[in-house]
Amino acid sequence: MNQGMNILKKGDIFLVIIVIAAALTALAFYNWSRDKHKEGSSAIVKQGDVIVHRINLNEIKEPYTFEIEGDYRLVVEVSNGSIRVLEADCPDRLCVKSGWLRYKGDIAVCLPNKTMIKLEGVNDSVDGISY
Amino acid sequence: MTPLMEFRIKGLKRLVLLSILLAQALVLSIIESWIPVPVPVPGVKLGLANIIILITIIFLGFKDAVFVVVLRTVLTSIYAGGPVLFMFSAAGGLLSTTVMAVLYNRASRIFGLIGISIAGALFHNAGQLLVAMIVMEDTAVFYFMPVLAVSAVIMGSFTGLIVSYLSQKLERISIIRKD
């Protein structure tokens, strides 16, 4: 069974190194640009290509929840400075596992329901609610 | 090691093999859906069915692999998922199968089965993100790509290793040998 030694070819090793290096660079760049002190304050909820909610998270006094209907039902919880998917009846519930979104660039996605929540800085959105 | 021999099996034998491979791909997909994924990133998964797709490319060729991918996607969508998930997994599956077949047929000297499997996993994820980007009209979904790439390398190596050993054993079985 010496063939086992030749299973890995040069191209394979090259591919692994390139992909891992690219992924780490992208992650490092993301963490650097995210700037943890700058909290995301505008939450954008999209269903398909339509923005269904745009919420200024800094103006939330009392936490509340709302529902998103679609192929599946999502319950979204909003509180001061953060937002999360509280409940979902989709199969994998990845959006729930994403937890609280707090910083600019954080996103939670529910592919089966074509729903996405992403956070932006309040200055990034021209038509913010504070207008 | 010479590149794996080109097997082209015809007729009834091909039909039987194809049905067995499809059944195996389906069973692996279903088993995989029972295993919870610890990372909250859409697209991170074991990719066990990829073992069967790559085996199909090696022993039956690209067209039959496309046949297995399409039927598997349709059938798993009926079992669990629905039309939206069908769109995502069909895009990922077809892109990944095409990339693996091209690499296997054209670049076997450079890439072994592990590299081909990793590339397949990478393009599976990329295809799904591409559909997500089109559906949502938002490039923010590519934020997931680095994590997906790392998981593709890990799981692609694992399934590629399995395919390496499996194909060596299968070559020796007389049923699979060319007439």
Side-chain angles (χ1 to χ4, degrees):
Chain A
M1 291 306 290
N2 283 332
Q3 284 169 315
M5 300 302 289
N6 290 331
I7 277 175
L8 209 57
K9 293 187 184 174
K10 273 184 191 165
D12 301 349
I13 298 163
F14 187 70
L15 182 70
V16 169
I17 293 170
I18 292 288
V19 171
I20 297 286
L24 291 181
T25 311
L27 281 176
F29 177 77
Y30 171 73
N31 268 328
W32 170 76
S33 67
R34 164 159 125 158
D35 187 3
K36 294 216 173 194
H37 300 293
K38 188 184 178 185
E39 303 212 333
S41 28
S42 184
I44 289 166
V45 183
K46 284 177 100 174
Q47 206 166 10
D49 54 352
V50 184
I51 296 177
V52 286
H53 293 278
R54 188 192 286 274
I55 306 157
N56 189 334
L57 296 175
N58 288 343
E59 291 177 351
I60 306 295
K61 300 279 184 285
E62 288 288 308
Y64 67 92
T65 61
F66 63 88
E67 290 186 6
I68 298 173
E69 299 286 342
D71 291 348
Y72 298 96
R73 197 179 57 94
L74 305 187
V75 179
V76 180
E77 185 179 4
V78 185
S79 74
N80 194 321
S82 53
I83 183 167
R84 70 167 170 177
V85 182
L86 183 65
E87 269 172 47
D89 55 7
C90 56
D92 49 13
R93 303 176 70 249
L94 288 175
C95 45
V96 179
K97 290 178 195 159
S98 298
W100 287 104
L101 311 183
R102 202 157 283 157
Y103 302 105
K104 184 186 166 189
D106 285 354
I107 79 173
V109 169
C110 174
L111 288 186
N113 209 30
K114 295 190 215 165
T115 307
M116 180 170 89
I117 304 177
K118 64 172 180 174
L119 261 57
E120 288 185 353
V122 84
N123 296 329
D124 300 349
S125 44
V126 185
D127 52 342
I129 267 176
S130 49
Y131 261 83
Chain B
M1 190 176 79
T2 51
L4 287 166
M5 276 179 280
E6 282 273 311
F7 292 89
R8 287 295 178 263
I9 305 152
K10 296 231 155 62
L12 187 60
K13 213 184 237 185
R14 170 177 162 267
L15 201 62
V16 172
L17 265 178
L18 210 49
S19 337
I20 294 173
L21 288 167
L22 175 62
Q24 287 173 333
L26 271 173
V27 168
L28 286 177
S29 302
I30 292 169
I31 290 175
E32 191 175 308
S33 70
W34 293 339
I35 302 170
V37 180
V39 200
V41 173
V44 170
K45 58 177 173 185
L46 297 176
L48 294 178
N50 202 36
I51 296 170
I52 303 301
I53 305 304
L54 193 43
I55 288 287
T56 313
I57 291 174
I58 295 169
F59 290 97
L60 294 170
F62 174 59
K63 280 180 192 163
D64 285 348
V66 169
F67 181 77
V68 173
V69 167
V70 171
L71 280 184
R72 176 191 84 99
T73 315
V74 170
L75 291 171
T76 46
S77 302
I78 292 169
Y79 171 81
V84 177
L85 283 185
F86 169 76
M87 208 165 59
F88 285 104
S89 53
L94 288 175
L95 189 60
S96 129
T97 307
T98 310
V99 166
M100 289 196 298
V102 167
L103 287 181
Y104 181 75
N105 292 327
R106 304 286 155 123
S108 270
R109 275 196 201 160
I110 308 163
F111 294 108
L113 291 171
I114 292 180
I116 294 172
S117 174
I118 293 172
L122 270 176
F123 277 89
H124 193 278
N125 293 335
Q128 290 190 321
L129 284 189
L130 216 58
V131 174
M133 190 192 80
I134 294 165
V135 169
M136 312 266 192
E137 284 189 13
D138 204 312
T139 52
V141 287
F142 277 95
Y143 153 79
F144 291 126
M145 198 58 215
V147 179
L148 286 174
V150 174
S151 104
V153 168
I154 297 167
M155 285 320 300
S157 310
F158 174 64
T159 53
L161 201 62
I162 293 175
V163 172
S164 299
Y165 283 108
L166 189 57
S167 57
Q168 281 173 20
K169 302 283 180 203
L170 286 176
E171 273 177 65
R172 299 200 192 103
I173 299 176
S174 58
I175 305 167
I176 288 179
R177 233 173 266 148
K178 214 180 194 174
D179 298 310

